[in-house]
Amino acid sequence: MVRPPEARELLEEGRVVLAHAAMTARRLGLQAPGRSPRIFDALELFAFVRPAQFCAPSAAGLALALGMPEPKGAAAQAQTLLAACRLLLEELALSPQPTREEALAVAETLARAGWAWGPAAIGALRSAPVGNAFRGSGLDVWTRIPEWEDQAPPGEAGSRPIAPEDAAERLKALLRQAGLDEARPAQADFARETAFAFLPREREGEPRMVLAEAGTGVGKTLGYLAPASLWAEANGPAVWVSTYTRALQRQIERESAAIFPDPKLRARKAVVRKGRENYLCLLNLQEAVNTAQLGGTDLIGHGLAARWARATRDGDMTGGDYPAWLPSLFAVGPAAQASPQNLVDRRGECVHAGCPHYRACFVEKAIRGSRRADLVIANHALVLTQAAFDRARAARGSKADGETTHLKRIVFDEGHHLFDAADSAFAAALSGAEAAEMRRWIRGPEGRGRRGRGLEARLMEVVGDHETAVQSLLEATRAAAVLPGEGWSGRIAPPTGEVNPIGPIERFLVAVLEQLRARAAPSEVGMECQARPAIDLVRESAREAAEALARIEAPLLALARALEDLLDDEAASLGPAERARIEGALRGLDRRARMTLPAWRSMLRAIDEDSEDDPDFVDWFDATFLYGRVVDAACRRHWVDPTEPLTHAVIAPAHGVLVTSATLADPSLDDPFALAEMRTGAARLPDRPKTIRLASPFDYAANARALVVTDVGRDDPRQVAAAMRELFLAAGGGGLGLFTAIRRLRAVHERIAAPMADRGLALYAQHVDPLEVGALVDIFRAEEDACLLGTDAVRDGVDVPGRSLRLLVFDRVPWPRPDILHKARRVRFGGKGYDDAVARARISQAFGRLIRRADDKGVFVMLDAAAPTRLFSGLPEGVTLQRVSLVEAIEATAEFLKAGG
């Protein structure tokens, strides 16, 4: 066994094979290393040999991906790394993808760039005869990606009903197709009852709505896919299945294999759909690769990304088959990485049909696929924002975007998150970052070496002969110069305190910070205060900022009208490519000139006039901190009840809506579904929805324990850390620690990481380890005895069946943060009872992560003696809450989980 000092010396000076160089360095107390010919990261070799295939970024993850047993202990993991690399090189020699010639061209390019695995990869590829098809770098993958082909419009969906018994029969067929012969009566009941959402509606604005709680293990996914697939076959397209998390989107797509066993058919019939900002932009990739070949960015990372682009199913870089850990392996600057942030179109710069790769575009493929699919597996954010956008355009007589024109039947899985998703989708925020993004969208990147295209570059070729459009375009470009530009954050909140704002928006943000400092108490993440009554400086600068925004909005609206006239006047002569390009530009103009800018001006006008608070909205100011200093300030507006726009834009126009979750009802209420009706928009419909509640079939009395520890001081990080450490050790690993504050998470990690490592248990932590949360959960799932610390994102995103998750520890009750927005909602929705409902739901959702299969065993621990018993009434039937000392909790955990091992 190598001791830490020797390991540090090896990493800094020796030739090493490892899995995730940056993570390894972090665990040794070192900075992430740069790329080096002596550091062989096995994950990079995996990404080259098996692009677009899943692998958790650790030795155990590699083992599982390659069909090897999980290595237990450091020595076994080291041996596994070497064995995995040998297997990968053997596989590369035998069956390189997509061809030996293409793989060799890329390997030789990366070897010239200093890739540690380059010589070995070239040797493996040259172990068999190889042609000379590639004379270039092999990185120009955009020339070899299949193109999409347009098809005739599918037409409107029909209204043929789905009978409950037909749904149950379809479920039986799906279970047989999936090789599942277990009898789950609750699942059949779920399929029958939810068929109600697939009946024809009787009146406009009154969809068939179902609220369905199905406990863990009922099998709700196949339960609703049964009637959904029947309806789509009879009436489609399409049923939209919407989730809150990316992980569930992919899980549903996998389960749709029971309906469409043929992968090629499934790719057409069950389409995963996300927002544009999730997909690889081939033009961005081309520009990044060209820059990398000139030494401007990370050529090795972009070469591996190019390998992935050739193999990916749909180009999804966030939650799809792109390895999220790839950009973080070595110390590569953010701007130089082959990361989603640099390669997707999150800047609104798409030129649509003007792009040379338009016919191969992954976004266009997904949009076209969703229009003809039986099942569109989307997420709440896309469904809500796109539906609102389409409705607003349709109300003005504009052509809808096409994304949600067939949004007639919707299944909202993870329905307990629908309220929060609507809150985000229908909110407005004028911040430094948002205003700077608006400037970049209009004027293009203005710093040296920045990629991107402003409005003029995207549209001048289209409108060059149309004087009105050209004039409006130039006026908008000039007017946008008042928006925050390069270095804005350092001017509004410099470390020295000597502010130097440029332009009316920056001056407004400086004034906002003045009001915040006068009225708000800083926290670890920032500060906030009510927007009104505003100080004089804020009101004066708000008026100036609103006038500046109006000068931007007017030419943008004129440009939009000119483009609409162009589509109308020259309908007979415009080619499909020109039309698509203009329609794409209009979508961007509509979002900004007809939605975002008016919302910003409305907020500023209310501040300037110091008007009475609108009872439907909450306006406030906030500042965001990073490492103790202000990095942004914002004026925000949210609906007190976001189900009002949710109902108007999405629920009421639909014909059938199913909202389902394992934790939808609140058993502490006289009407368990009353809160769910309010938080989903169902309460705003003329008739009450149909409600279903099916309990989990699991034996929780035998397989789960719930403990509240009574003698740990929750405000003493040493006590919390010691308690969590001993509980993790008692369980032998497999522990998930959940925190309500990042600061407390880091304090606990700092105290327990080393002692746990000494006992042979790996500890991973969100906000500490250099990996995004999904990759950390993948490692946690792959390593049976690892432990993980996280916050809300982990609680909502964990799906870890088996012994890898056998202990869940909350540091304290997850009360809602009493910020300005929540306080307004507490007044509207029931006072203290609303607080209880939110906390109770979070506890129930977390508990639901613990037992995922009938043979799982798990212990739930709350390290908060003040936790009220009423908050645990949502736990499954059979779970008895016990209040115990820490010693008793440790002993009970060890005994219970040992018996289950």
Side-chain angles (χ1 to χ4, degrees):
M1 182 72 71
V2 177
R3 293 179 299 128
E6 296 167 327
R8 282 192 284 271
E9 184 177 350
L10 272 174
L11 185 57
E12 290 180 317
E13 299 178 9
R15 287 168 60 85
V16 292
V17 176
L18 40 68
H20 209 294
M23 175 81 80
T24 304
R26 170 68 181 77
R27 296 194 171 292
L28 292 172
L30 300 173
Q31 295 294 320
R35 294 194 183 279
S36 167
R38 58 177 184 77
I39 300 179
F40 296 79
D41 199 313
L43 292 170
E44 284 198 329
L45 182 60
F46 183 92
F48 185 90
V49 178
R50 293 192 175 187
Q53 293 190 33
F54 174 77
C55 176
S58 68
L62 278 165
L64 293 177
L66 295 171
M68 303 163 65
E70 181 195 344
K72 297 293 185 74
Q77 290 177 357
Q79 292 172 348
T80 293
L81 276 180
L82 292 174
C85 292
R86 283 195 292 267
L87 278 175
L88 288 168
L89 289 171
E90 290 170 5
E91 183 177 320
L92 184 62
L94 289 172
S95 54
Q97 300 296 325
T99 65
R100 188 174 298 272
E101 290 80 8
E102 184 171 343
L104 179 60
V106 177
E108 290 178 335
T109 298
L110 301 189
R112 287 192 295 272
W115 188 38
W117 289 109
I122 292 170
L125 289 163
R126 289 197 176 279
S127 64
V130 58
N132 193 24
F134 285 81
R135 298 186 182 276
S137 67
L139 302 184
D140 56 343
V141 293
W142 46 87
T143 65
R144 297 185 295 281
I145 290 176
E147 296 184 344
W148 51 263
E149 293 182 358
D150 241 337
Q151 299 183 48
E156 286 292 316
S159 298
R160 293 175 61 184
I162 299 303
E165 287 308 315
D166 290 343
E169 285 301 314
R170 168 57 62 94
L171 175 64
K172 288 182 183 178
L174 296 183
L175 291 171
R176 286 194 300 270
Q177 185 71 50
L180 302 171
D181 54 5
E182 56 186 307
R184 288 195 275 185
Q187 188 180 35
D189 290 342
F190 186 89
R192 291 189 192 93
E193 297 294 332
T194 56
F196 178 82
F198 298 93
L199 295 177
R201 69 178 182 180
E202 298 294 325
R203 286 174 294 277
E204 182 182 13
E206 298 181 23
R208 302 282 189 173
M209 192 161 184
V210 180
L211 303 183
E213 179 176 279
T216 307
V218 167
K220 61 182 170 59
T221 303
L222 281 181
Y224 63 65
L225 287 181
S229 60
L230 274 177
W231 185 90
E233 288 173 11
N235 300 289
V239 176
W240 282 61
V241 180
S242 179
T243 75
Y244 189 67
T245 59
R246 297 165 180 162
L248 186 57
Q249 276 187 274
R250 289 299 174 185
Q251 180 181 322
I252 294 169
E253 191 274 336
R254 288 193 296 272
E255 293 203 38
S256 71
I259 309 171
F260 313 112
D262 180 356
K264 291 183 178 179
L265 178 64
R266 187 164 73 251
R268 296 197 307 273
K269 293 288 191 177
V271 173
V272 173
R273 183 71 183 95
K274 298 182 179 181
R276 179 176 293 273
E277 69 279 2
N278 292 277
Y279 296 92
L280 173 70
C281 168
L282 291 172
L283 188 56
N284 281 350
L285 177 64
Q286 180 181 5
E287 293 178 354
V289 165
N290 291 342
T291 301
Q293 289 178 303
L294 297 174
T297 55
D298 177 28
L299 179 58
I300 294 169
H302 284 95
L304 295 173
R307 290 278 293 163
W308 166 80
R310 279 284 278 144
T312 179
R313 174 178 49 192
D314 56 11
D316 180 1
M317 296 192 78
T318 58
D321 51 20
Y322 184 74
W325 39 260
L326 188 57
S328 65
L329 296 181
F330 292 94
V332 176
Q337 291 178 355
S339 63
Q341 288 74 18
N342 293 328
L343 295 178
V344 303
D345 173 33
R346 65 173 65 252
R347 307 174 183 85
E349 64 189 18
C350 182
V351 294
H352 301 278
C355 176
H357 310 308
Y358 181 66
R359 301 284 304 182
C361 176
F362 290 115
V363 177
E364 294 297 328
K365 288 177 183 176
I367 291 172
R368 282 161 175 75
S370 70
R371 290 171 181 165
R372 305 194 65 83
D374 283 7
L375 301 173
V376 180
I377 306 165
N379 54 68
H380 298 349
L382 173 71
V383 169
L384 302 190
T385 56
Q386 190 62 47
F389 177 65
D390 280 349
R391 305 279 175 209
R393 295 197 91 197
R396 291 193 303 273
S398 300
K399 178 183 175 182
D401 187 60
E403 293 268 15
T404 60
T405 51
H406 301 289
L407 200 61
K408 301 292 177 63
R409 305 287 167 170
I410 317 170
V411 177
F412 286 110
D413 205 337
E414 297 180 300
H416 57 278
H417 283 301
L418 191 53
F419 185 91
D420 295 329
D423 182 38
S424 297
F426 300 110
L430 171 55
S431 67
E434 291 291 333
E437 174 63 18
M438 178 73 77
R439 175 181 177 132
R440 192 219 54 77
W441 181 80
I442 297 171
R443 293 175 63 87
E446 297 167 286
R448 294 176 59 186
R450 298 296 184 90
R451 293 181 295 109
R453 295 162 289 278
L455 264 184
E456 190 174 339
R458 301 199 297 275
L459 287 178
M460 189 58 78
E461 182 183 336
V462 177
V463 302
D465 296 331
H466 302 271
E467 185 177 341
T468 302
V470 171
Q471 185 63 29
S472 298
L473 180 56
L474 296 177
E475 285 180 16
T477 303
R478 285 194 296 269
V482 302
L483 295 169
E486 288 288 320
W488 61 267
S489 182
R491 290 192 294 273
I492 68 168
T496 62
E498 297 178 5
V499 298
N500 182 32
I502 299 175
I505 308 301
E506 291 186 21
R507 285 193 288 274
F508 171 69
L509 295 176
V510 168
V512 165
L513 287 171
E514 285 291 316
Q515 181 164 322
L516 283 164
R517 293 188 182 102
R519 298 180 180 173
S523 71
E524 61 183 291
V525 294
M527 50 186 172
E528 66 173 25
C529 73
Q530 291 178 327
R532 295 183 297 276
I535 63 176
D536 290 345
L537 182 62
V538 166
R539 285 192 292 106
E540 293 164 4
S541 60
R543 185 180 313 127
E544 183 188 5
E547 292 169 353
L549 293 178
R551 289 192 292 271
I552 300 170
E553 183 181 328
L556 288 179
L557 288 172
L559 176 60
R561 288 191 292 269
L563 291 176
E564 288 165 346
D565 290 343
L566 182 59
L567 284 177
D568 188 23
D569 297 342
E570 301 188 13
S573 59
L574 282 175
E578 289 176 295
R579 177 173 291 278
R581 193 168 178 178
I582 294 171
E583 289 174 347
L586 277 171
R587 286 194 292 271
L589 286 165
D590 270 359
R591 288 187 185 278
R592 290 161 179 85
R594 288 174 169 145
M595 297 177 76
T596 302
L597 284 168
W600 287 357
R601 288 198 302 107
S602 176
M603 289 190 291
L604 293 170
R605 184 172 59 251
I607 293 166
D608 175 27
E609 297 172 354
D610 211 16
S611 57
E612 289 290 326
D613 289 343
D614 187 323
D616 289 331
F617 295 97
V618 180
D619 292 358
W620 76 97
F621 297 151
D622 69 21
T624 306
F625 291 1
L626 183 64
Y627 302 118
R629 85 172 189 88
V630 175
V631 293
D632 201 359
C635 174
R636 302 187 185 276
R637 170 172 288 181
H638 283 238
W639 287 82
V640 175
D641 184 357
T643 65
E644 182 171 336
L646 167 68
T647 304
H648 173 74
V650 183
I651 304 297
H655 290 216
V657 179
L658 166 62
V659 181
T660 185
S661 167
T663 53
L664 201 58
D666 189 333
S668 68
L669 303 177
D670 293 337
D671 179 354
F673 281 95
L675 188 63
E677 288 185 37
M678 182 277 293
R679 289 176 65 86
T680 60
R684 294 182 174 275
L685 298 176
D687 296 324
R688 292 199 66 185
K690 180 174 184 174
T691 57
I692 310 162
R693 194 173 181 206
L694 299 170
S696 169
F698 296 157
D699 186 354
Y700 285 97
N703 292 347
R705 296 290 182 268
L707 312 174
V708 174
V709 175
T710 59
D711 58 351
V712 170
R714 69 177 192 180
D715 294 320
D716 185 340
R718 290 180 298 179
Q719 290 191 44
V720 173
M724 204 164 282
R725 179 193 68 222
E726 294 305 315
L727 286 164
F728 285 171
L729 292 173
L736 173 62
L738 293 177
F739 294 80
T740 57
I742 297 170
R743 171 178 48 83
R744 292 196 296 273
L745 181 156
R746 287 174 171 154
V748 168
H749 178 270
E750 184 179 348
R751 286 177 168 85
I752 72 174
M756 289 186 61
D758 291 342
R759 299 285 292 272
L761 296 182
L763 178 67
Y764 301 95
Q766 183 190 12
H767 302 295
V768 176
D769 288 315
L771 281 172
E772 53 92 29
V773 66
L776 289 173
V777 172
D778 290 339
I779 296 174
F780 180 60
R781 185 184 296 111
E783 299 181 13
E784 188 174 274
D785 296 333
C787 295
L788 175 63
L789 307 181
T791 56
D792 284 358
V794 172
R795 183 193 71 221
D796 295 332
V798 167
D799 184 17
V800 182
R803 278 183 54 80
S804 289
L805 175 52
R806 52 190 180 269
L807 169 67
L808 192 151
V809 185
F810 258 113
D811 78 320
R812 61 179 63 196
V813 171
W815 294 111
R817 192 164 69 91
D819 55 24
I820 290 170
L821 180 59
H822 175 75
K823 288 164 70 175
R825 287 176 175 158
R826 182 164 55 195
V827 171
R828 175 75 63 92
F829 299 133
K832 294 180 180 179
Y834 183 65
D835 287 343
D836 283 1
V838 173
R840 186 162 42 243
R842 291 175 178 175
I843 289 171
S844 298
Q845 290 151 21
F847 187 92
R849 306 290 91 190
L850 191 59
I851 307 294
R852 308 299 292 169
R853 300 188 309 209
D855 58 349
D856 280 357
K857 297 195 73 170
V859 177
F860 176 99
V861 181
M862 175 68 73
L863 297 177
D864 188 345
T869 300
R870 66 182 184 274
L871 299 185
F872 298 89
S873 61
L875 297 186
E877 186 176 349
V879 177
T880 301
L881 186 70
Q882 301 176 60
R883 294 184 180 271
V884 297
S885 69
L886 177 60
V887 170
E888 291 170 328
I890 294 167
E891 291 173 348
T893 297
E895 181 179 354
F896 182 71
L897 294 178
K898 182 179 180 181

